[in-house]
Amino acid sequence: MTIERINPPALYDGAPHGLSHATIDHDTGLVFVSGQVDWDRDYQVRHTTLAAQTEGAARNLLTVLDAAGSSVEQILQLRVYVRGEIGEHLDTVAPILVQYLGLPRPALTGIGVASLASPGTLVEIEAVAKIDRR
């Protein structure tokens, strides 16, 4: 089995937290993307609103997919974790996901949680995708 760890230099270093931004299993062609949040390179939340954090997490997700040789069109599954009741935040989160993900519409699970990576983190997005083998 050939496994590759992906840590784009444009994003925060996950090593101190025991993670890589993504892991590629080259035998299956699958990319497993760690939960992406709206952190800067110093592990600080960039924005205070759910909408802005969702955009930041989505941008980070796209950065990781690109570094892994994948793309939004190759996402198979997406999990979106939102602090609080997910149903109360769908009107905010869903349009942003459509804006960044477009029409491919992967399988998606929304999960409401009590806490995330840091006290100011409101949303986290993780994905499973395929390597873009074009």
Side-chain angles (χ1 to χ4, degrees), residues 1-126:
M1 181 185 299
T2 306
I3 294 176
E4 179 182 359
R5 313 289 182 206
I6 303 297
N7 289 293
L11 301 180
Y12 61 89
D13 180 10
H17 300 283
L19 65 91
S20 293
H21 283 278
T23 301
I24 301 172
D25 177 351
H26 286 282
D27 295 336
T28 64
L30 294 177
V31 179
F32 299 87
V33 181
S34 294
Q36 296 300 303
V37 296
D38 182 43
W39 281 1
D40 62 20
R41 291 185 46 80
D42 296 319
Y43 316 103
Q44 300 301 307
V45 176
R46 290 186 194 127
H47 303 95
T48 58
T49 68
L50 178 61
Q53 284 192 27
T54 301
E55 288 188 34
R59 280 192 300 272
N60 287 351
L61 173 67
L62 297 180
T63 297
V64 175
L65 288 171
D66 183 59
S70 188
S71 64
V72 68
E73 293 84 10
Q74 300 298 319
I75 296 174
L76 301 172
Q77 182 180 39
L78 203 65
R79 286 190 189 96
V80 179
Y81 301 89
V82 177
R83 188 181 295 264
E85 292 293 326
I86 188 74
E88 295 175 7
H89 302 293
L90 285 177
D91 288 346
T92 300
V93 173
I96 295 167
L97 294 177
V98 170
Q99 174 187 346
Y100 282 88
L101 302 180
L103 297 177
R105 302 230 165 73
L108 183 133
T109 302
I111 305 163
V113 297
S115 65
L116 288 165
S118 69
T121 301
L122 303 175
V123 63
E124 185 168 335
I125 304 172
E126 69 179 21

